Amino acid sequence: MFKSTVYKKVNRSQNFFLLLLVILLVLVGGKIIMAHAKLAAYVEAMSLFKSGDLVDAEKKFRAAKRNLSVTDHNQDINRKLTILSPIREVMEDLDEKAAEYQEEKNLDQLVVTYERWQENMKIWVSGSRLQQDMYGEMLVPTKLDQDFKAYFSAIKMSQLAKLQNNTINGDAEEEKVFTILKKIPTEYYGGDPEKTKEIQTAFHQYYTNKIKTLKAENASVARIVAEGNRQLAMLTNFSIDFGWLKNTLDTHLLKVLNAAIDKKDYAVFAEQANTVRNLSGNMKDAKVFLFIEKAKNDLLSKAKSLTTGNNYEDAISLYEALKPLENTEQLIVNANLAWDKFEPIRVLKRLYPTKEFPSFVNAKNKWGADIVIAAISKDGGIYFGKLKGEEVMVVTEGTLDGSPDVTKLDFESSFSSSNNPVISIDAKSNERKHHYLAYEVRSSSMVKILDVEADNLTVESKNVLLVDNPAGQGTSELAYYEQDSQGIYRFTKIKADYVDIHVSEVTNYYGKKVRFKAYATAKANGGALVTLSETYNYNTSRWEKTYLLLRGQSEFTIYQNYTVIGSFIGYENMTDENGEQIRVSVFQVEKVDK
């Protein structure tokens, strides 16, 4: 058993050494083969290198370098690869990264990759002839120049299309498009000037189309101004010239504002002009601002002229319309105050909104006030108001008795013994031509001081009225009405408008009104004869008489005394009882006193 074991051990040892020998033989043979392969690769690489096929030569040099069986030619291989491999590696990396970033739509990294390419290209193109050639050859498999052109051209066209087709929504997207277009290398625009021009032209057209669309839609000034401000801000941010936009906005807004002025839509003008004022400070030298200021000042002057011409309603309406452009509150207050003083009935209507005032009268600078007003309401109220400065109107109220039908209202200061305001009323009368009333404003009350129906009324003197044919006392006469101790006008006496004479004196008062007593002795010539004188003529043995003919009354009774009022008007011829022609005085009788 022991022998068997020893045998087996010796046998195994022999097998191991045989196997080791085989392995060594294989290794030696393999090394010889690899050495031949490396030499072949190197020889081929050198052949390609010399023929100018640098890309393939670099590949063979790398294959030879990876063969570690021998170190022959390693120094030369490394020298060649030091120049060729970095160019290949960078170009392949750039190609791969560019494709990847294009796929991911990562423009920033795509630009970074492009800039890496440009930086390396400058080194290689300005380097040795070998670097130049290797770079040129690497462009063929990588197509890096063509790829970058395609990538950036596609991006540029897509962004320009957004501007052309107006598919951008909002400032952020516009800024994004601008940023993208700016990031695209200048090379793909044809140069710096061309790049700037193409981007500016694209945005110019894009913004122009937006303004055109708004104008075509007849958009409000507010919308156009808002869009204009937005565009001005964006163009400023983009450092793009906006002179064309200023001109476009200026021309359009001038046209719109002029149209409002022409139509006299002053409120619309002011609202639009105020909106235009919100335009960016970049528009401060625009003509539209000069127009707004001139138009505003012209309209303010017009409103002032309307106020001066007492056309207050139109003036206030204009001031109200201009509120968006100018603080016209005080001007409106002033105009309303002037209007109130010109038409104080407005104040009464405001104070008594439920009443109607069919009759009213105004006066200036009386009784310590700038303006006073007397008014009668439809329901029979009588009112006296005083306006001074900007103070509230002070009103005194009263009530008309019987609600007369007023035909005329006035102030009659001569009716008052205390220089108080007196409101005189001329109303319709059932018995006479007029119904005269007067109310005196005393302290805070109204006192009726006159109430008479008559054919006429005049002021004879201070506190003395002459009333023609009053109803009641003094009927058919001129009657005096004077104030009693309470200041109320009452009948006092009849006014005699004639001279009392003796009938024999009548011819001394030609054309004057006189009164006398006469005895009617006969009827003649449509009147009555009154004997003025009677004397006996001894030569003729007759009585010679002179007569006065009373004419104008046909109901005289002879042999009766009459008191007559009238005027001596001349002479006329008549035949007396003896059949002789005589000349008689003629008296026109106006009234016969009884």
Side-chain angles (χ1 to χ4, degrees), residues 91-115 117 141-160 180-181 183-185 187-189:
M91 290 288 282
E92 286 178 349
D93 184 61
L94 291 170
D95 189 29
E96 180 182 344
K97 289 289 195 303
E100 179 183 339
Y101 296 141
Q102 173 66 9
E103 181 70 22
E104 295 174 354
K105 301 187 183 306
N106 190 337
L107 177 61
D108 288 339
Q109 288 303 317
L110 185 63
V111 171
V112 170
T113 305
Y114 169 82
E115 290 172 348
W117 172 41
T142 60
K143 299 181 180 177
L144 202 56
D145 54 346
Q146 298 177 35
D147 289 345
F148 271 120
K149 182 177 181 180
Y151 298 156
F152 286 123
S153 294
I155 294 169
K156 182 175 79 168
M157 289 303 104
S158 69
Q159 300 308 308
L160 291 176
I180 290 173
L181 291 173
K183 285 181 178 179
I184 293 172
E187 173 187 347
Y188 302 106
Y189 288 94

Side-chain angles (χ1 to χ4, degrees), residues 449-551:
I449 62 173
L450 175 66
D451 187 349
V452 61
E453 296 183 57
D455 289 339
N456 193 24
L457 181 149
T458 57
V459 178
E460 176 86 349
S461 61
K462 184 72 172 178
N463 312 128
V464 178
L465 306 179
L466 185 61
V467 182
D468 184 11
N469 188 24
Q473 288 181 291
T475 297
S476 302
E477 300 288 347
L478 285 171
Y480 283 114
Y481 274 64
E482 300 178 57
Q483 287 182 312
D484 60 14
S485 59
Q486 278 74 46
I488 310 301
Y489 282 94
R490 302 187 187 281
F491 172 82
T492 54
K493 61 184 177 180
I494 299 299
K495 178 181 179 179
D497 59 346
Y498 49 82
V499 178
D500 281 315
I501 63 170
H502 189 272
V503 65
S504 61
E505 301 174 310
V506 65
T507 57
N508 296 329
Y509 291 88
Y510 180 82
K512 297 179 180 178
K513 186 178 281 191
V514 295
R515 185 176 74 164
F516 55 82
K517 289 183 179 179
Y519 182 75
T521 57
K523 288 187 177 182
N525 285 25
L529 285 175
V530 175
T531 302
L532 293 179
S533 65
E534 185 177 10
T535 60
Y536 186 77
N537 189 334
Y538 289 97
N539 293 326
T540 60
S541 300
R542 289 183 179 181
W543 289 95
E544 294 181 353
K545 300 178 180 179
T546 60
Y547 296 98
L548 174 66
L549 177 63
L550 302 178
R551 178 170 287 165

Side-chain angles (χ1 to χ4, degrees), residues 116-368:
R116 273 184 60 206
W117 172 41
Q118 294 299 299
E119 289 169 4
N120 282 286
M121 180 181 65
K122 289 178 183 177
I123 295 171
W124 299 331
V125 170
S126 62
S128 66
R129 180 60 179 271
L130 185 59
Q131 288 176 305
Q132 295 173 16
D133 292 345
M134 182 60 177
Y135 167 69
E137 285 192 39
M138 280 303 298
L139 283 176
V140 176
T142 60
K143 299 181 180 177
L144 202 56
D145 54 346
Q146 298 177 35
D147 289 345
F148 271 120
K149 182 177 181 180
Y151 298 156
F152 286 123
S153 294
I155 294 169
K156 182 175 79 168
M157 289 303 104
S158 69
Q159 300 308 308
L160 291 176
K162 289 180 182 180
L163 294 174
Q164 292 167 359
N165 300 327
N166 194 23
T167 57
I168 302 173
N169 184 22
D171 297 358
E173 284 195 33
E174 288 177 6
E175 190 163 3
K176 182 178 179 181
V177 169
F178 179 78
T179 302
I180 290 173
L181 291 173
K182 286 288 286 184
K183 285 181 178 179
I184 293 172
T186 302
E187 173 187 347
Y188 302 106
Y189 288 94
D192 274 331
E194 290 77 9
K195 178 179 181 178
T196 299
K197 182 178 180 181
E198 187 169 354
I199 294 174
Q200 289 187 353
T201 300
F203 273 93
H204 179 174
Q205 192 59 50
Y206 167 73
Y207 285 132
T208 297
N209 289 338
K210 280 190 169 295
I211 296 293
K212 283 183 179 178
T213 299
L214 288 175
K215 287 162 64 176
E217 293 173 355
N218 198 26
S220 67
V221 168
R223 285 183 64 193
I224 289 179
V225 166
E227 178 61 18
N229 274 337
R230 192 188 72 81
Q231 290 189 17
L232 286 167
M234 296 303 289
L235 289 169
T236 301
N237 184 40
F238 298 157
S239 298
I240 295 177
D241 174 66
F242 47 73
W244 60 272
L245 178 57
K246 287 172 60 176
N247 292 335
T248 298
L249 292 172
D250 200 14
T251 301
H252 176 71
L253 294 173
L254 271 172
K255 181 180 178 181
V256 171
L257 294 180
N258 261 309
I261 291 291
D262 290 342
K263 292 178 182 177
K264 294 183 171 54
D265 288 340
Y266 301 129
V268 171
F269 161 75
E271 195 65 41
Q272 290 175 336
N274 188 50
T275 302
V276 170
R277 280 179 168 179
N278 295 326
L279 276 171
S280 164
N282 291 318
M283 290 283 293
K284 62 184 179 181
D285 58 344
K287 294 177 182 177
V288 69
F289 291 115
L290 295 176
F291 174 80
I292 289 171
E293 281 304 301
K294 184 179 184 305
K296 180 197 74 174
N297 291 333
D298 288 347
L299 291 175
L300 287 172
S301 296
K302 181 178 180 179
K304 184 178 180 180
S305 296
L306 288 169
T307 303
T308 303
N310 303 322
N311 193 346
Y312 301 103
E313 186 173 4
D314 288 345
I316 291 170
S317 176
L318 189 48
Y319 282 136
E320 288 283 355
L322 291 173
K323 272 185 176 180
L325 280 178
E326 186 83 2
N327 183 359
T328 56
E329 288 294 346
Q330 190 58 48
L331 293 172
I332 292 170
V333 169
N334 295 343
N336 269 308
L337 182 61
W339 193 2
D340 285 347
K341 290 182 177 180
F342 184 71
E343 294 182 22
I345 191 63
R346 282 168 27 94
V347 185
L348 279 181
K349 287 179 178 179
R350 290 200 300 272
L351 293 173
Y352 304 93
T354 62
K355 295 185 179 292
E356 295 181 43
F357 299 94
S359 302
F360 57 88
V361 63
N362 311 324
K364 293 181 179 180
N365 302 318
K366 287 181 177 288
W367 301 294

Side-chain angles (χ1 to χ4, degrees), residues 7 17 19 22 36-37 64 101 184 191 215 282 305 368-369 387 410 482:
Y7 173 78
F17 284 112
L19 178 61
V22 171
H36 281 292
Y101 296 141
I184 293 172
K215 287 162 64 176
N282 291 318
S305 296
L387 274 176
D410 209 345
E482 300 178 57

